[in-house]
Amino acid sequence: MKRFGNLWPQISSFANLLIAARKAQKGKRFRPTVLEFNDNLESNLIQLQTELNSQTYQPGNYHQFYVYEPKKRLISAAPYRDRVVHHALCNIIAPLLERSFIDTSYANRIGYGSHCALEKFTTLARTHRYILQCDIRKFFPTINHSLLKAIIRRKIKCKNTLWLLDTIIDNGKNLDPVLHYFPGDDLLAPVLYPCGLPVGNLTSQFLANLYLNGFDHFILQALKIPAYVRYVDDFALFANDHTLLAQARPEIETYLATLRLKIHPIKSQLFETRHGANFLGFRILPQQIRVRSDSLQRLRGKLKTRYHEYQHQQIDQSQFQQSIQSWQAHLDHGNTAHLQHQLFDPMLVEF
């Protein structure tokens, strides 16, 4: 197994930090923290570079808030200068480590994404009789720091890079603690095992994929089930043999326990694909793809809010049209022509 070393000169170079700053500000250029950082961009990047090279860099405090789409989640937003560091780190390590990722792990990867995942899921659902669909319970809050660091060290040997990764990981511990117990644990086990990656960090998204990379290969190589799709903590196995998938579930639970993870006992089900399956806001049926009712309700709420902003001149016509075009592109992945006319025509007639 190849381990990557001598990465630090690339990560901490001024050129890489500049590229990272440009990526970090994408879509956020006019936010006060970004404007303030960019007002003295060169000196701020040099300061970051100095702190990184002297190992005096310390991440700032997270701004935390909850979102309720599609379920309640704690979002932890890092300060802008830390997001620049996250991009600088991922610029270098992500292309190297992603080489070992499987082709049907779709989340947070360039050239993949939710729509590619939906397309693959649909193809597999329509060519197999059964599906074992699972959800990892409280995935980000229960990622174990010691296990994650051990996985990283099997891939990276550059000491400075490992220091930065450890610093970022340690800064996110216990942001949303979960009491998970496994065989052999005592009462204090959840406290003794630092856990959790903050949802919202670029590094968290990448490291979460790395954390489950061994599990992905276990599905393909040990269980020998090639019809498999994963998007973050949602994954599905397909087969024409019910027994094969039924036997796979306890083996999956056993493997995930080695990562101190559990599948959701209710959301994880084995059933026939002809009944339809929910995935990424859509319901995939044998002959059509519908928008889930809860997803449609959220879309109506967002559309109403955006239309209100346009009417009160908080956004201009171009911004409003861009939002509608984005929603249309998303809905195009289902059989939604009638729905789109119903949603958008009354508003587009003004233009």
Side-chain angles (χ1 to χ4, degrees):
M1 180 185 299
K2 182 175 181 179
R3 296 171 68 218
F4 297 98
N6 197 32
L7 303 176
W8 190 250
Q10 301 173 67
I11 292 171
S12 63
S13 71
F14 183 86
N16 185 46
L17 289 170
L18 181 59
I19 293 170
R22 289 170 177 164
K23 288 184 176 180
Q25 73 175 3
K26 189 174 181 180
K28 307 177 182 71
R29 283 191 304 131
F30 299 107
R31 293 186 181 180
T33 53
V34 180
L35 290 172
E36 182 181 357
F37 190 91
N38 286 344
D39 192 44
N40 293 289
L41 180 61
E42 184 176 353
S43 60
N44 283 328
L45 293 180
I46 291 174
Q47 178 63 32
L48 262 183
Q49 185 183 42
T50 301
E51 292 178 18
L52 290 170
N53 284 328
S54 63
Q55 296 192 0
T56 58
Y57 165 76
Q58 284 296 322
N61 295 324
Y62 287 99
H63 167 61
Q64 296 181 306
F65 57 94
Y66 283 97
V67 297
Y68 298 85
E69 300 177 5
K71 56 188 176 183
K72 183 180 178 181
R73 292 183 301 162
L74 176 66
I75 304 297
S76 301
Y80 179 69
R81 77 192 302 264
D82 292 341
R83 297 201 296 272
V84 173
V85 173
H86 298 166
H87 276 277
L89 176 63
C90 289
N91 282 349
I92 306 305
I93 68 170
L96 299 174
L97 302 189
E98 273 202 10
R99 297 173 188 173
S100 66
F101 290 3
I102 67 170
D103 289 338
T104 53
S105 169
Y106 287 93
N108 310 306
R109 299 177 65 188
I110 297 173
Y112 289 76
S114 60
H115 294 151
C116 291
L118 179 65
E119 182 178 343
K120 184 65 174 181
F121 186 99
T122 302
T123 299
L124 294 176
R126 290 177 174 175
T127 53
H128 295 82
R129 184 175 178 183
Y130 298 103
I131 174 176
L132 173 60
Q133 189 168 15
C134 300
D135 173 274
I136 297 178
R137 185 170 177 266
K138 298 286 186 179
F139 176 46
F140 279 92
T142 54
I143 292 176
N144 182 278
H145 287 189
S146 296
L147 294 175
L148 175 59
K149 290 176 183 179
I151 291 170
I152 291 170
R153 279 159 173 76
R154 290 199 289 269
K155 301 286 187 178
I156 294 174
K157 60 183 178 181
C158 175
K159 291 183 178 180
N160 288 345
T161 303
L162 292 173
W163 162 78
L164 180 57
L165 281 161
D166 288 350
T167 299
I168 293 171
I169 291 168
D170 292 341
N171 191 52
K173 66 183 178 182
N174 298 325
L175 293 174
D176 190 16
V178 177
L179 297 181
H180 270 186
Y181 289 93
F182 295 87
D185 284 355
D186 59 23
L187 189 63
L188 296 176
V191 179
L192 298 176
Y193 295 113
C195 293
L197 294 180
V199 177
N201 273 9
L202 176 67
T203 48
S204 297
Q205 296 164 4
F206 174 74
L207 293 174
N209 268 342
L210 184 64
Y211 198 68
L212 286 180
N213 185 42
F215 172 70
D216 293 336
H217 287 277
F218 167 77
I219 298 293
L220 300 184
Q221 296 162 13
L223 298 186
K224 300 187 184 304
I225 302 178
Y228 169 70
V229 174
R230 181 172 66 82
Y231 191 87
V232 193
D233 56 349
D234 294 324
F235 61 92
L237 294 74
F238 300 83
N240 292 318
D241 184 347
H242 183 278
T243 302
L244 177 66
L245 295 182
Q247 292 174 342
R249 175 163 177 161
E251 295 189 60
I252 286 171
E253 291 175 324
T254 298
Y255 186 98
L256 288 176
T258 66
L259 296 174
R260 298 190 65 82
L261 299 174
K262 295 182 178 183
I263 60 173
H264 198 288
I266 298 174
K267 294 179 182 179
S268 303
Q269 300 289 336
L270 171 57
F271 54 94
E272 291 188 66
T273 53
R274 65 186 177 90
H275 296 306
N278 297 328
F279 191 62
L280 299 179
F282 290 89
R283 184 159 184 80
I284 293 85
L285 296 157
Q287 301 300 326
Q288 60 180 318
I289 302 175
R290 298 176 181 171
V291 181
R292 288 182 56 180
S293 57
D294 55 344
S295 298
L296 179 57
Q297 184 178 356
R298 289 194 298 272
L299 176 56
R300 289 186 190 277
K302 291 178 181 179
L303 183 59
K304 183 178 179 180
T305 298
R306 206 63 170 159
Y307 187 54
H308 180 272
E309 292 173 343
Y310 170 65
Q311 286 184 314
H312 290 79
Q313 299 182 336
Q314 295 172 346
I315 60 173
D316 60 25
Q317 177 178 323
S318 174
Q319 290 172 303
F320 183 58
Q321 286 181 306
Q322 286 176 2
S323 295
I324 290 181
Q325 289 168 0
S326 175
W327 289 322
Q328 286 176 323
H330 178 66
L331 292 176
D332 281 342
H333 291 269
N335 304 106
T336 60
H338 177 72
L339 174 62
Q340 290 191 44
H341 285 300
Q342 183 187 66
L343 285 173
F344 303 127
D345 285 0
M347 299 178 183
L348 292 175
V349 73
E350 296 187 19
F351 303 141

